[in-house]
């Protein structure tokens, strides 16, 4: 702690994951999109540039998650179900070979499921890091070539790198779940309907009813994050003014007035962030309850109908 942090204190990363490499790929693909749009930057597709530059890792992550979801369904719907039947059947109708086959099948299924789950997070985080690093590199390169920011403020540039970069990171990290979840939902609905009957549809409908609630929470989170971003931009601009005219402020003893302004802006910013985190925590708290409620609804309907 007695010496400042040096480059040698940080571990090295793969050259393909460096900001210089990822930013160069994104810039190259972006120029291709601009050429396809006949030089019209407004019509050029930034999303396609990101996918063309770093989409391979994202594709591997999505494929790994889909295979993981399939193996998870097979584990619960086939192997565990048959093992329960094997235990309940009389011993004269079963053989040791059948039991060992089911056990080893379940073991290898779980082994492959763990491998694909780990592979998903490896490729997802890898893609997310490259997405964010390339964005920061391109923004940094653009800012360094500008004489002034024009209509943009320093706070907007910081928000672009921090908030938008983090959103891009989260989108790439959880893209596999966006593709795998619908596949798993269709498989579960079909299987439970065949196994239990129409009461299973009530349980599925109960799960679907919670989606508007989660959507409302997500909308509120977005609203408060937008307000927090505006408050952050205001605070950063105000701090830049203070630093630029610090001598004048000290000469007229305006430190207290400016300190109160910064504290007021920071209080609003903190309020918006706290509310955003409150709705985030509420959404995460409700999620584990949904399967329990859906299961209770399903078996209650099955029992009341004489099932």
């Amino acid at each position: 702690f007695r010496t400042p942090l040096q480059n040698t204190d940080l571990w090295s990363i793969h050259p393909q994951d460096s900001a210089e490499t990822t930013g160069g790929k994104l810039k190259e693909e972006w120029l291709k999109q601009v050429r396809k749009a006949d030089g019209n930057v407004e019509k050029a597709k930034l999303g396609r540039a990101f996918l063309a530059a770093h989409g391979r890792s994202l594709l591997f992550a999505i494929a790994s998650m889909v295979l993981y979801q399939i193996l998870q369904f097979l584990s619960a719907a086939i192997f565990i179900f048959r093992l329960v039947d094997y235990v309940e059947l009389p011993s004269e109708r079963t053989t040791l070979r059948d039991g060992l086959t089911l056990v080893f099948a379940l073991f290898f299924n779980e082994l492959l499921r763990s491998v694909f789950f780990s592979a998903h997070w490896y490729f997802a985080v890898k893609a997310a890091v490259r997405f964010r690093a390339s964005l920061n590199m391109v923004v940094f390169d653009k800012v360094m070539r500008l004489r002034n920011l024009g209509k943009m403020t320093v706070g907007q540039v910081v928000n672009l790198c921090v908030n938008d970069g983090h959103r891009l990171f989260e989108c790439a990290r959880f893209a596999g779940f966006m593709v795998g979840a619908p596949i798993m939902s269709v498989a579960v609905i079909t299987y439970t309907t065949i196994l239990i009957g129409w009461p299973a549809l009530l349980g599925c409908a109960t799960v679907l009813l919670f989606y508007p609630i989660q959507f409302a929470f997500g909308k509120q989170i977005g609203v408060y994050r937008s307000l927090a971003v505006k408050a952050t931009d205001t605070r950063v601009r105000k701090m830049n003014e203070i630093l630029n005219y610090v001598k004048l402020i000290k000469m007229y003893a305006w430190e207290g007035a400016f300190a109160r302004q910064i504290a007021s802006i920071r209080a609003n910013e903190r309020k918006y962030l706290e509310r955003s985190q409150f709705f985030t925590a509420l959404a995460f708290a409700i999620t584990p309850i949904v399967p329990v409620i859906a299961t209770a609804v399903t078996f209650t309907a099955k029992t009341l109908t004489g099932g």
Side-chain angles (χ1 to χ4, degrees):
F1 66 92
R2 296 181 182 278
T3 57
L5 189 65
Q6 304 291 334
N7 289 333
T8 55
D9 298 329
L10 304 175
W11 59 85
S12 59
I13 61 174
H14 194 278
Q16 294 296 324
D17 296 329
S18 65
E20 183 179 1
T21 304
T22 55
K25 289 183 178 179
L26 178 60
K27 186 177 180 180
E28 181 181 350
E29 295 298 333
W30 168 247
L31 292 177
K32 290 181 181 179
Q33 294 296 324
V34 173
R35 286 195 294 268
K36 287 181 181 180
D38 297 327
N40 192 337
V41 179
E42 298 294 333
K43 293 183 179 180
K45 305 295 184 181
L46 182 60
R48 292 182 182 179
F50 271 106
L51 292 177
H54 312 299
R56 187 169 62 177
S57 297
L58 189 63
L59 182 63
F60 286 153
I62 293 173
S64 300
M65 175 51 63
V66 170
L67 292 173
Y68 165 79
Q69 296 280 16
I70 293 173
L71 292 173
Q72 186 178 22
F73 174 77
L74 293 176
S75 175
I78 296 179
F79 297 119
I80 295 179
F81 183 75
R82 294 198 174 220
L83 276 173
V84 173
D85 282 346
Y86 175 82
V87 174
E88 292 180 347
L89 288 174
S91 58
E92 58 271 9
R93 294 179 56 186
T94 59
T95 62
L96 179 61
R97 181 179 179 181
D98 295 336
L100 291 176
T101 301
L102 288 173
V103 169
F104 279 108
L106 179 62
F107 169 76
F108 284 112
N109 183 84
E110 293 299 308
L111 180 63
L112 288 175
R113 191 163 69 95
S114 299
V115 169
F116 283 121
F117 188 68
S118 301
H120 160 259
W121 282 116
Y122 169 76
F123 288 114
V125 173
K126 186 177 182 180
V129 169
R130 290 182 176 182
F131 272 46
R132 185 169 61 181
S134 60
L135 174 65
N136 291 341
M137 184 61 189
V138 170
V139 173
F140 178 80
D141 180 67
K142 179 67 174 179
V143 171
M144 289 295 101
R145 289 187 288 108
L146 294 175
R147 291 186 178 181
N148 57 72
L149 295 178
K151 295 182 180 180
M152 292 191 67
T153 63
V154 177
Q156 289 176 326
V157 176
V158 172
N159 288 331
L160 179 63
C161 294
V162 177
N163 295 304
D164 294 346
H166 181 70
R167 290 182 182 180
L168 195 63
F169 180 89
E170 293 295 312
C171 179
R173 192 159 67 107
F174 293 108
F177 291 96
M178 297 172 61
V179 178
I183 297 174
M184 189 67 171
S185 300
V186 172
V188 169
I189 292 173
T190 304
Y191 179 76
T192 53
T193 304
I194 295 173
L195 186 65
I196 300 176
W198 66 267
L201 297 176
L202 291 178
C204 298
T206 303
V207 175
L208 294 177
L209 287 176
F210 278 89
Y211 279 98
I213 299 176
Q214 297 282 20
F215 177 78
F217 287 157
K219 190 174 182 179
Q220 288 298 316
I221 292 170
V223 169
Y224 285 119
R225 282 186 177 177
S226 298
L227 292 173
V229 167
K230 293 179 181 179
T232 302
D233 182 51
T234 303
R235 177 173 57 83
V236 171
R237 283 192 282 112
K238 182 64 68 175
M239 285 300 302
N240 286 334
E241 292 177 7
I242 293 174
L243 294 176
N244 289 331
Y245 301 102
V246 62
K247 293 182 179 180
L248 185 64
I249 293 172
K250 291 184 71 65
M251 184 175 66
Y252 287 100
W254 288 340
E255 297 94 331
F258 279 96
R260 285 190 294 271
Q261 289 185 17
I262 294 296
S264 177
I265 297 171
R266 179 57 184 164
N268 289 330
E269 181 184 4
R270 180 179 177 180
K271 179 180 66 176
Y272 296 141
L273 291 173
E274 287 177 349
R275 292 182 180 180
S276 173
Q277 291 302 314
F278 171 76
F279 281 104
T280 303
L282 199 59
F284 276 105
I286 290 177
T287 301
I289 304 174
V290 177
V292 178
I293 297 176
T295 304
V297 170
T298 300
F299 286 104
T300 301
K302 184 71 173 177
T303 303
L304 293 176
T305 55

